[in-house]
């Protein structure tokens, strides 16, 4: 820390050794990046005798420091016991834990902040070194500081970590978060702000529409996968909007405290940490929004075959997956136990699983496996390739191909008619006119049309039985079309139950009777025509 860290944190002169431009009580890194506040250094320790020395070696070693856990953490004062760096500081609830290479570390610990003066910081490091601030119980040291570059309007939150594993040595790592926390600075940023306001308006409108659908369809609403996707997208959108507002409020408060006191550490780490999760939520939201496009292009038979194929073969895929992962995990356990101590790809059970997925994709280190065990290595590799790659994966493809052939055959005989895009656009247009009260609802038109048709049939001499039979057949037809051709609630493929088959059969019988009745009337008319001609 006395060498590269000091030289990297304090840039007070140009390469010509001339004094740097007016710093205005601030420090610069690489001349352009303002150091926000001062850096902070903290360490976490473990207590002595947190592990047990074997009895035969107790005469050689009477101290034992285990790996870091929250239970074994040392919170006692040590050293000079005067300054804050020798006293334990309790962790705050807002700061996240750090996931390192050899452990997961909580916030808090033995903390001190650096000075804005390079000479004072150097004297501080010398004093800590002379009084043994780093001990055998030290398990990790963090160096945290934040930068701001006004040229590109970006914050850079930096964490340098040095882990001291129980096996000895040191493992270094780093985290750099470059985030745009001040979102509204340029004209382009205000255009983005207007888009965000528009997005919030649309979000409220879509939420209202989905609530109306739930009230209208009730439990039937939740039978469609697409409706569940709509709810998931709405929840994710509300999460992103909430976090965006929270982030802007916290930035305003942090910058206010920083400008009041530039001699203390400004903790932007938790904002940068959660900002990465914010980006992850946005990425997942956009992903599902792209998947939602399938809902709008399902009017085409070719486009809807994918969802129909996956929904129909889901049970077969679940059964195959159970068999596949039994064999896959058996090989992963074998690889971990045989090659784990010598091959890095099999050092843990999780790494062995990912290594086997890479083997399936053609990325493998056969030389390392063979060198680890010259007998079991080739046997493991050859049998894994044979059973997993040649047998199981081809079975999976056979399930997909067989189901796709069935779906394609069903579509070829008209199991599900194509939904016309023109009808969908026309329906949306009519709904908009009805909401604007520029057109009467279609339901009223249908009722009046039904009444006109019934009156016209009576005037033409049809009896009441014929009219009632025609109305009954029309009701059956409307109900069946709503059941099988609706794109609002039902999925692409719906199996026919026994009751539904009975209704279809009765509908076909009535159609046959009607056809026979029309044929008799046609024959009667033809006979009358032939008699008149003769």
């Amino acid at each position: 820390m006395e060498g590269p860290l000091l030289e990297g944190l304090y840039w007070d002169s140009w390469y010509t050794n001339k004094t740097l431009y007016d710093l205005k009580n601030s420090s610069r890194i690489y001349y352009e990046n303002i150091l926000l506040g001062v850096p902070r250094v903290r360490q976490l320790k473990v207590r002595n005798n947190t592990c047990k020395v074997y009895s035969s070696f107790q005469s050689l070693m009477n101290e034992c420091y285990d790996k870091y856990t929250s239970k074994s953490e040392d919170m006692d004062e040590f050293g000079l016991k005067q300054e804050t760096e020798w006293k334990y500081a309790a962790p705050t609830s807002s700061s996240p834990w750090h996931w390192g290479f050899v452990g997961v570390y909580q916030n808090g610990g033995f903390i001190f902040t650096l000075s804005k003066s390079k000479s004072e910081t150097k004297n501080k490091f010398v004093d800590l070194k002379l009084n043994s601030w780093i001990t055998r119980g030290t398990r990790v040291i963090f160096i945290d500081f934040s930068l701001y570059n006004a040229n590109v309007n970006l914050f850079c939150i930096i964490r340098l970590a040095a882990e001291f594993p129980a096996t000895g040595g040191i493992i270094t790592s780093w985290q750099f978060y470059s985030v745009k926390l001040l979102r509204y600075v340029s004209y382009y940023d205000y255009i983005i702000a207007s888009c965000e306001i528009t997005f919030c308006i649309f979000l409220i409108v879509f939420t209202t529409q989905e609530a109306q659908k739930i009230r209208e369809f009730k439990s039937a609403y939740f039978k469609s996968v697409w409706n569940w996707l709509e709810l998931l997208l709405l929840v994710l959108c509300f999460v992103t909007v909430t976090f965006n507002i929270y982030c802007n409020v916290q930035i305003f408060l942090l910058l206010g405290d920083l400008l009041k006191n530039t001699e203390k550490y400004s903790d932007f780490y938790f904002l940068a940490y959660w900002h990465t999760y914010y980006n992850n939520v946005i990425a997942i939201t956009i992903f599902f929004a792209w998947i939602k496009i399938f809902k709008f292009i399902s009017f085409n038979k070719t486009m809807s075959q994918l969802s129909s194929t996956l929904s129909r073969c889901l049970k077969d895929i679940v059964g195959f997956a159970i068999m596949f992962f039994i064999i896959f995990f058996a090989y992963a356990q074998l690889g971990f136990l045989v090659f784990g101590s010598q091959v890095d790809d099999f050092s843990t059970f999780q790494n062995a699983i990912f290594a086997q997925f890479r083997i399936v994709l053609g990325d493998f280190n056969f030389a390392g496996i063979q060198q680890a065990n010259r007998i079991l290595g080739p046997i493991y590799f050859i049998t894994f390739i044979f059973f997993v790659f040649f047998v199981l994966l081809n079975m999976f493809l056979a399930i997909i191909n067989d189901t796709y052939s069935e779906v394609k055959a069903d579509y070829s005989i008209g199991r599900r008619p194509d939904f016309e895009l023109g009808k969908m656009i026309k329906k949306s247009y009519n709904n908009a006119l009805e909401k604007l009260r520029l057109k009467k609802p279609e339901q009223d038109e249908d009722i009046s049309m039904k009444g006109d048709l019934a009156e016209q049939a009576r005037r033409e001499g049809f009896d009441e039985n014929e009219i009632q039979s025609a109305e009954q057949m029309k009701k059956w037809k409307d109900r069946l079309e709503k059941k099988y051709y609706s794109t609002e609630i039902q999925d692409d493929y719906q199996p026919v139950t026994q009751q539904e088959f009975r209704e279809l059969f009765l509908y076909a019988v009535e159609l046959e009777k009607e056809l026979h009745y029309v044929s008799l009337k046609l024959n009667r008319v033809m006979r009358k025509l032939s008699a008149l001609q003769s």
Side-chain angles (χ1 to χ4, degrees), residues 423-434 439:
K423 291 183 179 180
M424 183 178 69
I425 297 176
K426 184 178 179 181
K427 182 180 178 181
S428 301
Y429 173 73
N430 292 332
N431 291 336
L433 292 179
E434 290 174 8
K439 183 181 178 182

Side-chain angles (χ1 to χ4, degrees), residues 38 54 66 101 214 249 408 424 454 491-492 496:
V38 293
Y54 190 67
D66 197 4
F101 284 112
I214 293 175
V249 172
K408 195 171 183 181
M424 183 178 69
D491 292 328
D492 292 337
V496 180

